[in-house]
Amino acid sequence: EVQLVESGGDWVQPGGSLRLSCAASGFMFSDYWMSWVRQAPGKGLEWVANIKEDGSEKNDVDSVKGRFTISRDNAKNSLYLQMDSLSAEDTAVYFCAREKAYCTSTSCYLPGAFDIWGQGTLVTVSS
Amino acid sequence: SYELTQPPSVSVSPGQTATITCSGDKLGDRYVCWFQQKPGQSPVLVIFQDNKRPSGVPERFSGSNSGNTATLTISGTQAMDEADYYCQAWDSGTAVFGGGTRLTVL
């Protein structure tokens, strides 16, 4: 079964740090771009960051630049999100998601669709 | 920054057709995905690449994208379709989500 399982969510004080993990199973993890997407309580979805199959390319949203770092360990089938200088605005459920390439009859394109999601892990930033 | 706009809410009677729109500048030039999210659950991909359905998604879900508007259509809406729906596209390597639409089946 294709599965993503996040862990590491916790309560942390403003200014603190946290490292989230996402364990992948049931598919060739090293063949896929991976993303983190978050959802603040009662709010919509916000993409956070993504990373290329081999970790050589990363992108992130402006609101986390310089504070969050996405990484992966293909030998461990794991995705990570190191979060530093956390603020209350970072309080959210964090989901990891697999990116499936868009394909036509002749070519495939990335970035693609978030086709598999984990169950999410809750990060609460509060004093 | 690129923005996608959805109506906050849409209501539909059981068995009728629900239409949820997503608007953005020249959105038709980009591929659009749609996600369904029920309370307390993770999002589920229901439409990708404008109009393709992942395996397991009922045929009553369909999508289109042209000009500045993408549309998710649910034909013969069922009570189980009541959920939040989000559109999503990519802009310069970053993913952008619409604000979400609460679909009520009543």
Side-chain angles (χ1 to χ4, degrees):
Chain A
E1 180 191 5
V2 175
Q3 195 172 13
L4 297 171
V5 178
E6 301 93 336
S7 60
D10 204 345
W11 171 84
V12 61
Q13 291 188 329
S17 297
L18 210 55
R19 188 195 195 208
L20 305 182
S21 299
C22 170
S25 60
F27 65 97
M28 191 63 71
F29 179 70
S30 57
D31 284 350
Y32 291 88
W33 280 72
M34 297 294 297
S35 272
W36 287 98
V37 178
R38 66 183 178 182
Q39 186 170 36
K43 303 297 184 182
L45 301 171
E46 180 186 31
W47 177 80
V48 175
N50 69 354
I51 186 168
K52 194 176 179 178
E53 297 97 327
D54 62 1
S56 62
E57 186 176 337
K58 306 174 186 180
N59 302 289
D60 54 23
V61 69
D62 286 348
S63 59
V64 308
K65 283 189 188 298
R67 300 189 302 123
F68 290 11
T69 303
I70 189 171
S71 63
R72 64 192 296 161
D73 185 338
N74 287 343
K76 296 183 178 180
N77 292 329
S78 292
L79 176 72
Y80 306 103
L81 186 66
Q82 176 67 41
M83 304 186 295
D84 299 320
S85 302
L86 285 161
S87 69
E89 289 67 39
D90 298 314
T91 294
V93 174
Y94 285 73
F95 299 98
C96 63
R98 187 179 81 170
E99 292 183 29
K100 167 189 168 68
Y102 292 129
C103 292
T104 65
S105 56
T106 55
S107 304
C108 287
Y109 306 91
L110 283 164
F114 302 121
D115 68 330
I116 303 295
W117 295 65
Q119 86 289 349
T121 188
L122 177 61
V123 173
T124 303
V125 185
S126 172
S127 54
Chain B
S1 61
Y2 195 74
E3 293 185 358
L4 295 175
T5 301
Q6 300 179 235
S9 62
V10 167
S11 297
V12 64
S13 299
Q16 298 304 302
T17 297
T19 300
I20 300 173
T21 59
C22 173
S23 62
D25 185 50
K26 297 181 180 179
L27 185 57
D29 291 344
R30 309 166 191 262
Y31 283 135
V32 171
C33 290
W34 290 91
F35 300 90
Q36 176 194 69
Q37 187 179 34
K38 297 181 179 179
Q41 298 184 17
S42 305
V44 173
L45 179 68
V46 293
I47 292 290
F48 67 98
Q49 211 163 329
D50 295 339
N51 54 21
K52 300 184 189 307
R53 274 180 295 104
S55 61
V57 173
E59 290 185 7
R60 62 180 181 273
F61 288 86
S62 63
S64 64
N65 184 21
S66 179
N68 294 322
T69 303
T71 302
L72 173 68
T73 302
I74 309 173
S75 305
T77 306
Q78 300 182 10
M80 69 172 65
D81 300 329
E82 187 164 282
D84 293 329
Y85 290 85
Y86 296 90
C87 61
Q88 178 262 321
W90 289 91
D91 175 63
S92 300
T94 63
V96 179
F97 288 93
T101 298
R102 174 71 51 88
L103 177 67
T104 302
V105 182
L106 41 67

